[in-house]
Structure formats: C-alpha cells, structure tokens
Amino acid sequence: MSAHFDAVQERTLHAALNRIIPEDAYPGAWEAGCGDYIRAQLDGQLSHLLSIYRNGLDGLDAEAQREFAQSFEALSAEQQDSLLKRIETDDVFAEWRCSPKAFFSTLVFHAAEGYYADPAQGGNRDRISWRMIGFHGK
C-alpha cells in the first residue's frame, strides 16, 4: 500500500500497468518502475490527477467484480485485456466516478512516460527501456 492508494487500488494499478506494458524479454511496466513514476508524479506536478487515479482504479475493480465476480488483479490476462479494451471506449457496466476513457488514456500515457523516461524521474528502473531500444543515455 502507498500513501496514494489503498491496498486494492495498488494491486489494481500493478495489474493494469503490467497489461499495458507486459513482460516479454524485458520487464513489464511494474518491474520497470512505472508505479513508482506515477506515484512520484502524483506527489508533484500531477497531484491534481490523484482523484482520477483513485476513482479510475476503483471503477476498474468494480467493473471486474461486476463482469467476472473477481477483483481485477485476480483475473486472467485475457480477461484483464478484455476489460481494459472496454473501458478504453467507455463501454462499462459498473458505476464510475470518472470517465473510464479519460482514466484509461491517462494511465496509458503515464505508463509510457514511466517506462521510457529518464530514470531520474522515478521510472525506467535500471534504464531497462533504454537498454531495450539501444539508447545509452546520459
């Protein structure tokens, strides 16, 4: 659990990030530090997005409960992908306190930022994505 999210929100964030940037020959989003990057940004210039993150993570888990009677993090990768594709287009069944589409686009944008950013910003742990693309950095 973090100062930003309760335990369920944190697990939902972890699972969602790893579906947006899944592990292959290189680490997925979570291991590469995307969660750390997002939390660091929420402590600073993106603090105004904290409610979107909290509401979106709650909505995503509620959507999983409604459709599959399980938490988002407990779903199979295929079920998680299916659900994320639906929220990307606002095709939801549960009640959301924010726009699912806006939450999804924010999450995807910040996942990419965290994965490819300068490690000094809190993500791209061990310069993993830079090594992946052959960038030697600073």
Side-chain angles (χ1 to χ4, degrees):
M1 191 164 75
S2 75
H4 300 96
F5 307 119
D6 66 29
V8 173
Q9 290 167 337
E10 187 79 8
R11 289 190 305 267
T12 302
L13 178 64
H14 182 155
L17 286 171
N18 276 345
R19 292 314 307 149
I20 293 167
I21 304 175
E23 179 180 352
D24 53 17
Y26 293 90
W30 193 261
E31 190 177 336
C34 292
D36 295 334
Y37 172 81
I38 289 170
R39 287 190 299 268
Q41 295 306 307
L42 291 172
D43 278 337
Q45 65 185 12
L46 298 182
S47 62
H48 64 283
L49 296 177
L50 183 57
S51 66
I52 290 174
Y53 268 96
R54 287 178 176 161
N55 291 333
L57 293 168
D58 289 345
L60 182 55
D61 199 61
E63 201 67 35
Q65 294 287 349
R66 172 101 188 233
E67 185 170 347
F68 300 106
Q70 294 184 61
S71 65
F72 181 79
E73 57 121 356
L75 300 179
S76 70
E78 293 78 19
Q79 290 170 321
Q80 289 173 343
D81 289 349
S82 170
L83 217 159
L84 289 170
K85 286 177 186 174
R86 281 197 310 94
I87 70 162
E88 180 180 19
T89 61
D90 278 334
D91 181 18
V92 296
F93 303 110
E95 181 135 351
W96 285 66
R97 293 180 302 191
C98 66
S99 162
K101 185 176 182 176
F103 164 70
F104 182 78
S105 65
T106 300
L107 182 62
V108 168
F109 185 81
H110 292 146
E113 274 187 349
Y115 200 79
Y116 293 102
D118 185 320
Q121 299 299 314
N124 193 9
R125 186 176 295 131
D126 300 323
R127 300 173 186 231
I128 194 66
S129 68
W130 288 3
R131 290 196 318 259
M132 178 178 69
I133 63 172
F135 178 67
H136 301 289
K138 304 173 193 175

